[in-house]
Each structure stands twice: as structure tokens, then as C-alpha cells.
Amino acid sequence: MPKFIGNRFGSINPISPGTNAAGVFDMFDQYYASRQQPEPGWFTAPLSATGGTTATPGNGYKYHFFTSNDDFVVSSSGTIDFLVVGGGGGGGNSSGNTPGGGGGGAGGFRELTGQSITPGTYPVVIGSGGSAGGTNGPYTSPQAPASSGSASSFNSISAAGGGHGAMHPQATPGRAESGGSGGGGISGQPAGSGNTPPVSPSQGGNGGSSTGQSGGGGGGAGANGQDAPANSNAGQGGAGLRAFSGDTGIPSSYGESGPQDGRYFAGGGGGSAYGGTHGEGGVGGGGDGAGTGQGGTANTGGGGGAGRTSSGGAGGSGIVIVRYAV
């Protein structure tokens, strides 16, 4: 039961001016009241901060969106929620116009809520997407293997870049890589693992494995990449996740719409097929597999789609979103 605060003198109430309760609290009750939050303590100013692109949509939150390196500068203490998404991995490609390639894995997805923050300057680093698997060359020599995405970070939390998708043939540099989410495999070689390095909860899923010469899909934050279902058909990219459990205050210019309310991020890239159906990218910015793989959507951390006749798609860059009550 809370303490009754009644030790007042005078005729002014400093907590609720204009109410019937009159008087100034004595020193003991002033100390007690100041320790009780949110009731019946003193009024606390809301968190104040600058940095990135801001939005206050009227849903009780203010948002800061970071799509390039910047600082989040806090001038008064408070509590924040934040999302950190790494850059997506590049989609693989084939050499010789025959096999497919593996889809790029999504960047890691790390979301924390109810985090206390004090005045200061907090650097924000946005991970870049990985490069695409390169132009076709001789069948025996993959050209310019894809590269993995790079990490994003904020407030001591790092989200790993997504692993790149596999190239065909499987020269060592062209094998699928692990990362926030893993890249898809090709030609019986293993796919990349997600949640690398491991954190809890997991930051992403595994890449899909290959069936014959069609590539597996890249892993997404919410699901593993699909294994290639047949020699002639490629795997779909793994689905991403909704920011802040479907927060509808995030503008449509960030993330991607999906089957539920809110904005999705960190979808995996689709694999490319050997003469059949290419894999679609996962919701949350994953690129589709195709003759020329589709790139992951910028600032979603989506993995690049794999290519077959030209090149794969580059991974999408990452993002950091900070929100707090106003």
C-alpha cells in the first residue's frame, strides 16, 4: 500500500496546481514523492533526442529512422525500444547458363524493448548489402562470387550481415556463407547457417539447401530459406519479421507490407532454378531469384535474389529504428 502523503504547509500544491489539495510538502514527503514513478511522483519530462529522420504519427510514439551512419543524441533520460537490422547478403549466380544459384541471406534482426537510456551520444552504424554474384563466365570458373552483408549496430547491439548465396560451380569463394541469416546452397553443397554469431533470441534463419542444380532460398529473420523442392525448381527466401510486433505507426516508406499489420524487415532472397521456377524473395525486402537476380530492398536488410543467366542481386542495406513514448 502506498504511503499517504499529507505533511503539507502553506496553500500551494506543487504537484497538481488548481486542485483542492493545498500546501507544500515537507522535505520528507518531497523526497518520498520524487521516488514514486509514475504515481504519485513529480512530473518527469519526456525523453528528448535528435538524429536520423523523425516521425511523430500521433500514436503515442516518436520514431527516429537511421538509413546511414549517424548519432542518436539524447538530452534527457527515458526508455526506448529499438530495432537493428544488418545488411543483406548478395545472391549467387551460375556460370555457363545451366545451373542456378543460392539466394542471399537476410541481415540479422535484433529488437529490444523497454531499454533505459541516459543523456549522451550513441553512434549508429548501418550495414551495407553484399555484392551480387557476378557475370557469367566459363562453366568451370565462377566469376566474382557474391559477398555477405555487413553488420549494423546501435547501443552496444550488433546485427550481423546476411550470408551470401552460393555460386555454381562450387569454388571455395562461391560457397554459401553463414551470417545473420544464412545464404542458400547449390549443387548439394551445404547452405549457410543463420544466427551467426549466436545471440538470443535468434537474429535469423538458415539458408535452404539445393536439390541438384537449383538453388536454395536465403534465410530470413522469421523463417529458414526453403530447400529447392526439385532439380528444376528453386527455393523461396525465408520470411522476415514485423518491427515491434506489428506497430502500425511506421511509415510505408520503411520496410515492406505483408500478410499482417505492420512493416516487415529482413526477408531472404530467392534461389534461381535450373530450367524451372525461380524462388521468390521472402517478405521483408528479399529479392526474387531470376535470370538476373533481383536486389534486396534498400534499408530492409533483405537478401539478394540469385541469378542464372546474368548475375545475382545485391543485398539490401540495413536500418536502425528507435521509438519512445511522447
Side-chain angles (χ1 to χ4, degrees):
M1 175 177 290
K3 176 187 180 296
F4 170 73
I5 301 178
N7 299 325
R8 303 185 181 95
F9 60 90
S11 59
I12 299 174
N13 181 352
I15 292 182
S16 302
T19 64
N20 291 328
V24 177
F25 293 140
D26 65 19
M27 291 182 66
F28 176 82
D29 280 345
Q30 287 190 44
Y31 172 81
Y32 181 85
S34 71
R35 304 293 294 179
Q36 307 304 302
Q37 296 292 340
E39 292 291 345
W42 310 113
F43 169 77
T44 301
L47 187 150
S48 178
T50 60
T53 300
T54 62
T56 309
N59 65 342
Y61 286 100
K62 182 175 181 179
Y63 300 81
H64 294 248
F65 300 95
F66 296 90
T67 57
S68 60
N69 294 350
D70 199 351
D71 291 320
F72 182 65
V73 182
V74 179
S75 55
S76 64
S77 301
T79 301
I80 62 172
D81 305 326
F82 63 90
L83 170 66
V84 183
V85 180
N93 192 44
S94 67
S95 295
N97 296 341
T98 302
F109 181 106
R110 301 195 64 188
E111 183 179 286
L112 285 83
T113 59
Q115 303 296 300
S116 297
I117 196 162
T118 56
T121 298
Y122 298 81
V124 177
V125 176
I126 302 300
S128 59
S131 61
T135 305
N136 275 332
Y139 179 79
T140 57
S141 179
Q143 304 296 296
S147 66
S148 297
S150 58
S152 296
S153 62
F154 168 69
N155 198 27
S156 301
I157 297 297
S158 178
H164 68 71
M167 302 283 287
H168 188 283
Q170 284 279 341
T172 298
R175 292 180 178 172
E177 286 291 332
S178 300
S181 287
I186 186 66
S187 300
Q189 298 291 337
S193 298
N195 197 32
T196 304
V199 294
S200 182
S202 173
Q203 60 181 316
N206 300 328
S209 63
S210 169
T211 299
Q213 297 184 78
S214 291
N224 295 334
Q226 182 187 35
D227 297 340
N231 184 49
S232 59
N233 295 323
Q236 312 274 1
L241 289 174
R242 297 181 296 162
F244 308 125
S245 302
D247 181 347
T248 57
I250 297 174
S252 60
S253 50
Y254 300 99
E256 185 175 80
S257 61
Q260 295 179 281
D261 289 341
R263 306 299 294 175
Y264 286 76
F265 296 84
S272 61
Y274 169 60
T277 303
H278 300 298
E280 294 181 354
V283 62
D288 295 340
T292 300
Q294 182 184 41
T297 303
N299 303 126
T300 66
R308 179 171 176 260
T309 58
S310 178
S311 65
S317 52
I319 193 169
V320 169
I321 304 174
V322 182
R323 72 172 189 179
Y324 49 87
V326 293

